Amino acid sequence: MAAQRTGLKRQLSLFSLIAIAAGSVLGGWLAEAPYWFELTGAGAAFIFPILAVILIPIGLAFSELASMLPFTSSLDVWASSAMNSTTGWATQWLFFLVQVVEPPLVAFIFVTAADFFVDVPEAAKPLIAIAIMVIWFFFSNVKIELTGLLAIALFILMVGITLGDSIYYFASGHWDFANISQEGGFFPHGIFGAVAAASALVLKFIGFGMTPTMIQETTFPAKKMVTVILAALFIPAVVYFLATFAISGLAPHHVIAQLSTPEPELVKSLGMPAVVGLLAIFSGLLYAFTTLMGFWTSSARVLYGASQLRQLPPWFLRTNKHGQPYIANIVVLAFGIFFAAFTSTNWVQYTYSLSVVAAGAVYFLGCLSAYLLRTKRPEWDRPYRSPAGKPVFVIGMVVSAAITIVGVTLLPANAWPPIIAFLLIGALVPLGMRYYRSHVDPTYTPIVLSPEDVDITKE
């Protein structure tokens, strides 16, 4: 069935989407690094490239699906086509959870950076994080092209600073391999710590999964989405490896785990030039800002896409003169405030666990959709076709299931109330839509998009 013409604007180049995706994957590590070292020590440096390889099957599944069904609704339309609309909505709602918890997470990065200079009261931290999200809300309603150009500039700048700082640490005379070898080695907590870290650090790569939500705003062919997805896996893997290894040699892992902002604090304690620490903070804030941009944009598109399939009211399809779904942006802000209000002092573990559990389920359903559609719709054109096909998708499902199972074991107690509340809201939405159809618009029945609808969603 034909879809409603989109109000989104095609303004994102291949490089700009790579910058958004890779920049979003890299965001937040200024204040998250202590959690990495607490879980597994210096071995975190190796876990990042290993994860990038492990996630390839999931990335290939997403790439094939995005080329075949290039809609903002992405996972929703994939699961709806492979299974049914109910499963599609459930997948989309979980995907929305993965996306929408990121803006409050990175907003707290700004709070942590401020805490390095002044003592910020605990009660004020959620309020500051909410204020930062409110500020970005106004910027979220300008041209997506500006977001893309800003992402490119910030990506080049922040990666350049990180590489420069890392090289300086190695050459500073303060880097000592003994801080690793004599403190339990690369994996001081053994295989359990490595597995726990691998499951938690999957969160750092979820930016690759958000890219299909912007496919109706791209200026390049859908078959090139595989380039964006693989770049979002391997560019951050290399940067994370270098940066984590560079920090690891500056102090023992248990010392780093106790620091709020390891880089600037280590720079200060070791007597390095203050400008090095300031650059680390500056680049960390740029990473956080890029992540905020990327996941906010994706969260709004998830709602827009669900409305495309008539699983949400048509209001979410409304766009302003710049092609921005402004009502969806309002809802993203509301959920950002909701999750920020639930966040406590262990906000890093809280958000990591929350996201990882949902991400694993979303990845599983995405790979399952790719597997089922190979059988159910073999005649559909696949501009990009994943090599090895179904066996790759099965591997992706196994990896996804493992991510979710381990992620559940890491959930802190304060993560359960918002998860339960979020799932209840998701279950109530279809009931609300039944009321909408019976009292407002009986013709507003759910639709499932197919490759035949692609031209209709083009500008």
Side-chain angles (χ1 to χ4, degrees), residues 200-217:
L201 294 179
V202 165
L203 171 67
K204 301 312 301 171
F205 288 94
I206 63 176
F208 85 86
M210 77 177 184
T211 51
T213 65
M214 303 178 207
I215 201 164
Q216 286 180 218
E217 296 166 274

Side-chain angles (χ1 to χ4, degrees), residues 45-99:
F46 296 98
I47 288 177
F48 288 111
I50 291 172
L51 281 175
V53 173
I54 290 175
L55 291 170
I56 287 177
I58 301 171
L60 295 180
F62 277 45
S63 299
E64 176 170 306
L65 291 167
S67 74
M68 180 173 59
L69 295 165
F71 303 107
T72 295
S73 41
S74 60
L75 279 143
D76 197 337
V77 71
W78 304 343
S80 294
S81 298
M83 290 164 274
N84 51 61
S85 293
T86 301
T87 307
W89 165 250
T91 305
Q92 190 82 333
W93 191 243
L94 282 174
F95 188 48
F96 181 62
L97 173 61
V98 175
Q99 305 301 298

Side-chain angles (χ1 to χ4, degrees), residues 200-290:
L201 294 179
V202 165
L203 171 67
K204 301 312 301 171
F205 288 94
I206 63 176
F208 85 86
M210 77 177 184
T211 51
T213 65
M214 303 178 207
I215 201 164
Q216 286 180 218
E217 296 166 274
T218 57
T219 59
F220 56 88
K223 65 181 180 181
K224 291 188 177 182
M225 186 57 73
V226 65
T227 302
V228 177
I229 289 176
L230 292 180
L233 287 175
F234 286 97
I235 292 176
V238 172
V239 175
Y240 276 136
F241 171 81
L242 180 62
T244 305
F245 194 42
I247 295 172
S248 298
L250 296 179
H253 68 90
H254 58 84
V255 173
I256 299 175
Q258 299 302 314
L259 303 176
S260 297
T261 51
E263 271 197 86
E265 290 183 54
L266 288 171
V267 167
K268 183 178 181 180
S269 65
L270 294 173
M272 298 183 196
V275 67
V276 177
L278 292 175
L279 284 173
I281 293 175
F282 179 62
S283 64
L285 292 179
L286 294 184
Y287 285 122
F289 185 66
T290 303

Side-chain angles (χ1 to χ4, degrees), residues 93-170:
W93 191 243
L94 282 174
F95 188 48
F96 181 62
L97 173 61
V98 175
Q99 305 301 298
V100 82
V101 296
E102 284 296 309
L105 167 65
V106 295
F108 274 93
I109 301 295
F110 287 87
V111 178
T112 303
D115 214 21
F116 178 76
F117 298 100
V118 296
D119 186 18
V120 180
E122 289 298 327
K125 290 181 179 179
L127 299 178
I128 296 173
I130 290 171
I132 290 170
M133 288 187 288
V134 170
I135 292 172
W136 175 251
F137 166 74
F138 293 101
F139 286 97
S140 70
N141 288 297
V142 300
K143 289 183 179 180
I144 190 70
E145 180 181 21
L146 297 178
T147 299
L149 294 174
L150 184 59
I152 291 174
L154 296 185
F155 179 75
I156 294 173
L157 182 59
M158 63 196 185
V159 170
I161 293 174
T162 297
L163 296 180
D165 271 5
S166 297
I167 293 171
Y168 175 80
Y169 299 148
F170 284 120

